[in-house]
Each structure stands twice: as C-alpha cells, then as structure tokens.
Amino acid sequence: MVEKKTSKTTTRKTTTRKKTTKSAKNKKLVIVESPSKAKTIEKYLGSTYQVVASIGHVRDLPKSTLGVDVEQDYQPKYINIRGKGPVIKDLKKAAKAAKQVYLASDPDREGEAIAWHLQYILGLDPEKANRVVFNEITKDTVKNAFKEPRTINQDLVDAQQARRIIDRLVGYSISPVLWKTVKRGLSAGRVQSVALGLIIAREKEIQAFQPEEYWTLDSEFKKGRSKFKANFYGFDGKKQPLPDNAAVQSVMADLDTTKPFTVSSVKAKERKRQPQPPFTTSTMQQTANTQLKFRTRKTMMTAQQLYEGINLGKGLGQVGLITYMRTDSTRLSSVAKNAAAHYIHDTWGEEYSSHKPVAGTPQEGAQDAHEAIRPTDVTKTPDSIKDKLTPDQFKLYSLIWSRFVASLMTPEILDTMAVTVEQNGVLFHANGSKTKFPGFTKAYPAAKEKDNLLPELAEGDSVDLSKTNPEQHFTMPPARYSEAALIKALEENGVGRPSTYAPTLDTIQRRNYVRVDARKFVPTELGEVVQNIVDDKFPDITDTKFTAQVEHSLDDIEVGEKKWVPVVDEFYKPFAKEVESAEKTLEKITMHDELADMDCEVCGAPMVIKMGRYGKFYACSRFPDCRNTKAIVQEIGIECPKCHKGQVVERKTKRGRKFYGCSRYPDCDFVSWDKPKAPGEEEKTEKDSKKTLTKKSTKKATKKASK
C-alpha cells in the first residue's frame, strides 16, 4: 500500500516562477525565502512592490567535492544549487526590470548568508542599502523595516560561512575514514557526534547501574471523617531511611495501632510560584516535546508556518502569528509588554498583571532582532482563530501564546501546610497545598499545581492510624534521553544553536546510529562503532567543551570581535593531523549481521537481519550471490478477513506510516490503514455481519469503523 505523494518543492517552484514572470517594470522587488512568506508580505506592501521567493538557498558548497581550498585561507568554492537554475533565471529577470531590489530573508546568520548569495548572483551593489530585516511579519513592523534598509552585515555572513566551512571540513574528512573502516554512507559531524556521545554515555550509565533496595511506609490517618496520607520520616526528629523489610518491621514494632497519634507540628506558609520566561527556540522545542508529544522537526516546521503567515479569512488575509522562531533570547520589546499588560488588565484584572500598562505607544520600537518567541498580536487568542488553524498549529500557537502572556503575570500563590504526626518517637510527615491566588496559571493552566488538601489540623490534635502500606522499591537508573532532554543537555553544554538541533536529531536517526524506543533514544551497534572511532581518533570533535568553544568563537565573529579565517585555521590544523593519523592506523571493522533463525527459500542458506534505508529486513547471507530478501513483518494474531488463509500483519510505507495487510500478499490483496478487530472483541450486529470491523486510529482517539 503506497501513500499518495505530493511534491512541495514542485509546487513552490511553480509558485515562484509564476510570480517572477509577472511584469516587475517600475516596481520594487522584494526577495524572501518562501512563497507563504512572500504572500503575507506582499499584502502589506501594496501594488508598488513585487514579492518573490528564492525557495531557500540558491548557492552552496558542491556536494561532490570538499569545496574548500585549505591552502588559500579556506576560501569556499560556491556553486549554484542544482535544480535552482529556473528560479535564478526568473529572479535575475525580475531584478533587471525592477526599480529597486530588497533582500528580506530571515533575521539571523543563515538569512544574512542567503541575502549575501542573492546579492552576488543578481549583481547588486554591495554598498547599497538593500537588506531589510524584521522579527515579525505584521503590517507595521514590515512597513517600518522598509523605511530603514541597511547593507549586508558581513560579520553575520562570516559567522555563518565559518560554521558551514568547519562543518564541511569535519564531515568530508571523517566520513571517508568511516567508509574505509566500517561501511559507506556513514557520517560524523561536530554537533551530531556530541549528541551521539551523550546518548551512548547515558546508555553505559544505565548498563553499569546497580539497583539498591529501599522501602517506603505510606500510611493513612483520619481525624473525624477526614482522612489524609502521611509518609514515614524517622525517629526523634531525625530522618531515617528504610533499606529493607527488617527496618520496616522494626518501625511497625514501635507503633501501637490501637492508640491515637499526636500532631506534634503544624507549619503553615505562603509559597509563590513565579511564571517562566517566554520561549526561546530550545525551550519551545523541549516543551512541545514533553507537553504536545511533538518531534523537534515537527515543532520547527509548525512554528515556521505560524511565523510566515496564516490565512485568517476576509478582512485579515495572510497574517504572521508569531515572531521569528530561531532565537536564544527571552527579551521582550516594550510594545509587546505594554500590549500584554492591557490585555491582562482587561481580561482578568489589575491584580493579575506584573506590568502596569502605559497609555499610547512606548518609545522603544517593536522591532528587536533578539526577542523571545511570542504572538505578534496578543488579542488574537488561540480560541478566536482556532477554526483557521490546523490542529498542530493550534496546539503550538496556544502553547506560545499562553507562555508569553503568563510570563507577564503575577505569581501563583499557594497556602502550604507541613504536618508531623508522632507516636513513641516515630515520625510521619504530610504536606498539603491549596491555591490561594491563581496568578499566571489563569493564562497557562498546564502550569497549575494540583491542590493537595489536608484537613484542619492543630498542634496537639489526636489522629488515628487507619492503615499502613509498606512497599519495596529499587533505585532506578538514569532515564534515556528523550528529544527534550537531549536538546536541554546540548544547550547546557553550549553545543549547537537553535537552528541545528532539529537536523542533528534527524541525522543520527537516518544514519541508524540510534533508534527510538518509547520516545527515548537508544544507541545501535553501528552508532557505538562509529562513536568509538570518533572518540579514539578525533577526541576534540566529541569533547563538549571544545565544541562549545567553537560556538563561542562563531558568536565572536558575528559581533566583529574575531575574523573567520583565523578561527577556521585554529580548528583545522590540529584536526587535519588527526585525520592523517586515523587514515594510517585504522583497520577495517566487520559488522556482523544478526542471524534470523530461518533459511532462504531460494538457496537454503541462513537468512540474516540487515538494516536498510527504511529499517530492518531479512536478506540471504550469501548476498550478492543470492539476492533474496523479505520484509520483517509482525503478525497481530488475527486471520485475514478477506482470504481466511493468511494472517494480518503490520507493515509500514516508505514514509513510515503503519498499515495492515495479508501475509499472503500478493496472492491476497487485503490492506487497511486501520487495525482489524480480533474475533469476539465486540459482538457483530446483523447489519455488520458482512463487514470487516476495524479500529480506526485518529489523532484524537481510537474509533470504530466498518470496511
């Protein structure tokens, strides 16, 4: 069963060519990266402007060669990207006819580099102010940005160029070493090697972990009709662990369950919970992963859509809903703060706002290239535009909107109570809390703490023990990295930047260096082999401190404190010696295939499990003499409802979508996106007797469907 494919690239190219072939005579030409961004901006600028898209980068280093002259100050040898010829031709034609050309790519290093390449290809004057940047795609911000164009910021370009060249030198130097020693198709890189190293180091911790036994003694007490839970704490004011059952029995022996316990201490306090700051790229990725179960790539793709513009219907049209989504800043412009303060005052009242609204427009402009991710218009609440958004867009926009508004609200206030219950020197502790004032959780309900109520208690009160629950536990090893946890670890170590996390996680999965189990990363044998080579022969590449220092040097280039050539040279000279040594000393490593416990139907040789582009499959061990292969399928224990001879098996399309088919395919062509139901799982009605019942999987729930 094959999924219907759509070509975004083809659609975008067609859109671009249509736009660029329109008459641009006497118009001002604006070039952005994507058609959706172009559509939004053109609406704001009016008929005197023509806005077209370059569809991302137009020039890059060649794929077939290194493309960097290490003998001549690491000069890059850029070429026009294959397939971009028609786009470039149309851009040149439009630029030639235009009255003025503006380059309005994204406001970061990569966007500046795209503008720089476009300037070169189109033959624009580098001394002319033709670069326009804006942090949000709204009417006022875009129009104001075009009033203050600037020249290309060469420091930003050089920082991006240095990153690209260093990453190319690493990838194109280490990869051939891996091909010779392990197999072709492997790669290594600065950030991906550190990420893989963290995953493998965590796996080693887990394997070396020795669980230790411990016990808990949770008890339930009651005062009148009210009950509350308390946990064993210790003896005579001192905390006491319970390492085994003997320790538990010793405690139990000191208790007289027929007599009341005394409340020896009651401490009531007021606790404040401060809101978190608005999102940076990495905190957005982490929160979307934990709360929405979004993969990092999905988060960034959805955020890009919200930034470039969503059609909100008549009267509004295409509107950019959030500010630029690649940022490591939590700053907010005074305009954004003031707008949020007005909204909070009007919606919930003065006591909920941490900022006093100012009449009129604050002096500081809304444009700030280093702002946090926030909604462009706080009055566009998620619910008010829900019908214009896809489910994923709505979820992410709700998260961004709530976090931004909450960050400018007052703390949540909790009344807390810590109670100590005692008998014969044996202490039990109970903690309770109740929301006194919701504060920022009015806007961000997901952050609200659940109330844990205790009955009214006072020192000297008597309470009765109603039951005890001694329970054995064992200490647990550290958890494997989820996407959120790995991004946090990379960020804490100063490795990578917001734009690098999604492609890095994607690469280590595509290369089969890791697999995902229960949304956690598990290293594969291949990943461990590759990492061992890189650790041994290229220690700087996997050293988090060294990689973080490279990032700091790139930041210094961006602000003009360092020049890019010395930074690359400082990195490459010792690295080149490591490459030369590795090529001389490394020997071929044989990766042994796992036996499949079956024989080849063609030649009788043992079958083995191999890893291909789309996952594992069975193959004959005599390959290439015998090319027999079989898909690895999982039977679900249900007879095929069509032929009643085969078993229903679980399969996947090339895009990874799960579907169900008959094990006798192609002799039986039964297929279903939905999982067939087992006989007896539900009684069939007379109406259903001739239909195949399936479980229909949707994003919201599992529904019943008839086929």
Side-chain angles (χ1 to χ4, degrees):
M1 190 170 192
V2 180
E3 288 185 285
K4 186 177 179 182
K5 296 182 179 178
T6 57
S7 175
K8 291 183 180 178
T9 305
T10 304
T11 304
R12 285 180 174 177
K13 286 182 180 178
T14 304
T15 304
T16 305
R17 296 203 69 185
K18 271 187 180 181
K19 284 184 173 289
T20 52
T21 52
K22 288 181 181 178
S23 174
K25 195 172 182 180
N26 296 323
K27 284 191 175 185
K28 297 173 183 177
L29 180 68
V30 182
I31 305 175
V32 296
E33 302 97 316
S34 74
S36 59
K37 184 176 175 182
K39 187 177 180 181
T40 308
I41 293 170
E42 192 165 49
K43 183 191 75 170
Y44 298 142
L45 294 178
S47 60
T48 58
Y49 289 83
Q50 181 189 18
V51 187
V52 297
S54 67
I55 320 296
H57 290 270
V58 290
R59 278 208 312 165
D60 197 5
L61 298 173
K63 288 185 176 181
S64 57
T65 61
L66 179 64
V68 178
D69 191 342
V70 296
E71 303 297 332
Q72 297 294 324
D73 287 339
Y74 308 97
Q75 288 305 305
K77 301 174 183 177
Y78 293 115
I79 63 169
N80 293 349
I81 295 173
R82 181 177 294 179
K84 285 296 183 76
V87 175
I88 292 172
K89 181 181 177 181
D90 289 343
L91 289 174
K92 284 183 175 180
K93 184 178 178 181
K96 188 176 180 180
K99 182 179 178 181
Q100 169 72 34
V101 179
Y102 292 104
L103 307 172
S105 45
D106 288 342
D108 57 8
R109 294 177 190 168
E110 190 172 4
E112 202 74 13
I114 289 174
W116 181 68
H117 286 301
L118 285 167
Q119 184 185 73
Y120 174 85
I121 282 178
L122 300 178
L124 304 179
D125 183 358
E127 300 300 320
K128 196 167 184 178
N130 56 17
R131 175 76 170 118
V132 176
V133 293
F134 33 81
N135 189 46
E136 60 185 70
I137 304 177
T138 55
K139 186 174 182 178
D140 290 343
T141 303
V142 170
K143 284 196 166 186
N144 289 334
F146 275 85
K147 292 176 183 176
E148 298 179 359
R150 59 169 173 78
T151 57
I152 298 285
N153 184 328
Q154 195 59 43
D155 291 332
L156 281 173
V157 174
D158 288 345
Q160 177 65 20
Q161 188 165 238
R163 172 186 288 281
R164 186 78 182 94
I165 290 171
I166 289 174
D167 288 346
R168 172 56 67 98
L169 291 171
V170 171
Y172 276 53
S173 298
I174 298 181
S175 295
V177 174
L178 296 175
W179 298 349
K180 290 177 184 177
T181 55
V182 187
K183 69 173 185 177
R184 291 192 66 82
L186 304 181
S187 70
R190 286 186 315 112
V191 180
Q192 78 174 57
S193 294
V194 172
L196 181 58
L198 289 170
I199 292 168
I200 292 174
R202 177 60 56 86
E203 194 68 19
K204 288 179 178 177
E205 285 183 61
I206 293 170
Q207 292 170 357
F209 182 79
Q210 295 294 324
E212 294 182 6
E213 180 186 10
Y214 72 98
W215 286 67
T216 55
L217 183 56
D218 299 335
S219 303
E220 184 179 85
F221 294 87
K222 61 181 180 180
K223 180 189 178 187
R225 294 185 178 182
S226 300
K227 295 181 179 180
F228 65 97
K229 292 180 179 179
N231 307 316
F232 169 76
Y233 179 77
F235 298 97
D236 300 322
K238 295 181 180 179
K239 188 172 177 63
Q240 180 69 39
L242 297 173
D244 48 39
N245 189 33
V248 174
Q249 297 307 318
S250 175
V251 172
M252 296 295 291
D254 290 336
L255 299 178
D256 186 347
T257 57
T258 63
K259 294 182 179 179
F261 287 64
T262 302
V263 176
S264 59
S265 172
V266 177
K267 294 180 180 177
K269 291 182 179 179
E270 187 178 272
R271 180 165 64 92
K272 292 184 178 181
R273 289 183 64 236
Q274 299 290 340
Q276 292 179 300
F279 284 131
T280 62
T281 303
S282 63
T283 55
M284 177 183 69
Q285 290 171 343
Q286 292 168 47
T287 308
N289 183 249
T290 54
Q291 291 189 18
L292 306 180
K293 313 302 180 192
F294 279 12
R295 304 292 293 272
T296 306
R297 181 169 291 279
K298 181 178 182 177
T299 299
M300 295 308 293
M301 180 183 69
T302 308
Q304 184 91 29
Q305 295 164 358
L306 295 172
Y307 165 69
E308 291 183 346
I310 302 295
N311 190 342
L312 298 184
K314 287 185 178 181
L316 292 174
Q318 200 88 353
V319 177
L321 293 178
I322 64 169
T323 54
Y324 192 53
M325 65 285 163
R326 292 188 180 94
T327 176
D328 53 9
S329 172
T330 57
R331 285 187 44 152
L332 294 169
S333 70
S334 57
V335 172
K337 289 179 182 177
N338 194 50
H342 276 289
Y343 178 84
I344 294 164
H345 272 245
D346 293 344
T347 306
W348 294 296
E350 179 183 0
E351 66 274 21
Y352 283 91
S353 178
S354 61
H355 289 72
K356 189 175 181 180
V358 178
T361 303
Q363 286 212 329
E364 180 189 335
Q367 177 60 36
D368 183 348
H370 297 283
E371 267 198 274
I373 302 169
R374 61 168 176 81
T376 56
D377 182 355
V378 71
T379 63
K380 288 185 174 63
T381 63
D383 286 336
S384 70
I385 57 173
K386 184 175 182 179
D387 61 330
K388 308 299 181 185
L389 304 176
T390 67
D392 287 343
Q393 290 168 351
F394 174 74
K395 289 175 186 176
L396 188 61
Y397 182 67
S398 297
L399 198 65
I400 293 168
W401 186 93
S402 298
R403 177 83 165 233
F404 162 69
V405 175
S407 72
L408 297 170
M409 294 177 71
T410 49
E412 178 187 24
I413 301 175
L414 302 167
D415 282 333
T416 65
M417 181 185 292
V419 176
T420 302
V421 177
E422 181 179 355
Q423 187 195 75
N424 299 330
V426 181
L427 306 178
F428 289 82
H429 275 187
N431 293 298
S433 63
K434 181 182 178 181
T435 301
K436 182 178 182 180
F437 177 71
F440 72 91
T441 63
K442 276 283 191 181
Y444 199 3
K448 189 180 186 303
E449 277 196 4
K450 190 176 180 180
D451 286 347
N452 178 28
L453 303 178
L454 293 177
E456 289 292 330
L457 296 169
E459 291 184 10
D461 284 354
S462 293
V463 295
D464 296 318
L465 178 66
S466 56
K467 62 180 177 182
T468 58
N469 181 31
E471 195 170 354
Q472 183 187 37
H473 306 273
F474 291 91
T475 53
M476 299 295 290
R480 291 184 173 123
Y481 283 110
S482 63
E483 283 198 2
L486 185 58
I487 289 170
K488 185 178 181 181
L490 290 170
E491 185 181 38
E492 288 175 344
N493 282 287
V495 176
R497 283 298 178 263
S499 60
T500 64
Y501 296 138
T504 296
L505 301 187
D506 184 56
T507 298
I508 59 176
Q509 291 174 77
R510 283 191 296 103
R511 298 292 184 191
N512 192 36
Y513 295 162
V514 300
R515 60 184 175 86
V516 178
D517 182 14
R519 301 181 65 243
K520 302 290 179 70
F521 289 118
V522 184
T524 63
E525 180 189 1
L526 178 60
E528 292 181 354
V529 168
V530 169
Q531 193 67 15
N532 286 339
I533 293 172
V534 178
D535 279 339
D536 183 40
K537 300 299 180 181
F538 310 99
D540 284 344
I541 298 300
T542 57
D543 180 17
T544 54
K545 290 182 179 178
F546 176 82
T547 305
Q549 184 55 50
V550 172
E551 297 291 351
H552 290 314
S553 295
L554 295 174
D555 292 342
D556 291 340
I557 296 171
E558 180 178 337
V559 296
E561 293 182 3
K562 286 184 178 180
K563 296 297 181 182
W564 75 268
V565 172
V567 168
V568 175
D569 191 58
E570 184 182 359
F571 166 82
Y572 182 70
K573 282 186 175 176
F575 173 70
K577 292 178 181 178
E578 291 177 347
V579 173
E580 185 180 355
S581 172
E583 288 175 337
K584 292 178 180 178
T585 58
L586 275 173
E587 297 179 356
K588 181 72 177 176
I589 297 173
T590 303
M591 296 286 293
H592 296 288
D593 294 318
E594 180 184 349
L595 289 173
D597 197 26
M598 70 172 71
D599 293 332
C600 175
E601 304 102 317
V602 177
C603 69
M607 295 286 276
V608 294
I609 298 174
K610 288 185 174 290
M611 175 59 70
R613 183 178 178 183
Y614 302 113
K616 292 183 177 181
F617 65 96
Y618 294 126
C620 181
S621 58
R622 292 183 60 245
F623 178 86
D625 297 326
C626 177
R627 294 179 174 270
N628 182 35
T629 61
K630 284 179 65 176
I632 296 178
V633 294
Q634 178 183 348
E635 293 185 356
I636 65 171
I638 297 174
E639 183 184 85
C640 174
K642 187 170 185 178
C643 70
H644 302 287
K645 294 179 182 179
Q647 289 288 312
V648 176
V649 295
E650 184 181 294
R651 299 178 185 270
K652 287 186 178 180
T653 67
K654 288 183 177 181
R655 289 191 172 187
R657 184 177 176 186
K658 188 188 298 182
F659 71 97
Y660 301 89
C662 180
S663 60
R664 295 180 62 246
Y665 177 84
D667 296 327
C668 175
D669 62 357
F670 168 76
V671 286
S672 172
W673 288 120
D674 308 316
K675 185 177 180 180
K677 299 187 69 174
E681 190 171 337
E682 181 177 306
E683 291 296 325
K684 291 185 179 182
T685 64
E686 187 176 336
K687 185 179 178 181
D688 294 327
S689 61
K690 294 183 179 180
K691 297 179 181 179
T692 302
L693 283 175
T694 63
K695 287 182 178 177
K696 184 172 180 62
S697 299
T698 67
K699 289 183 179 180
K700 293 186 177 179
T702 299
K703 299 179 180 178
K704 298 171 189 173
S706 294
K707 293 284 181 184

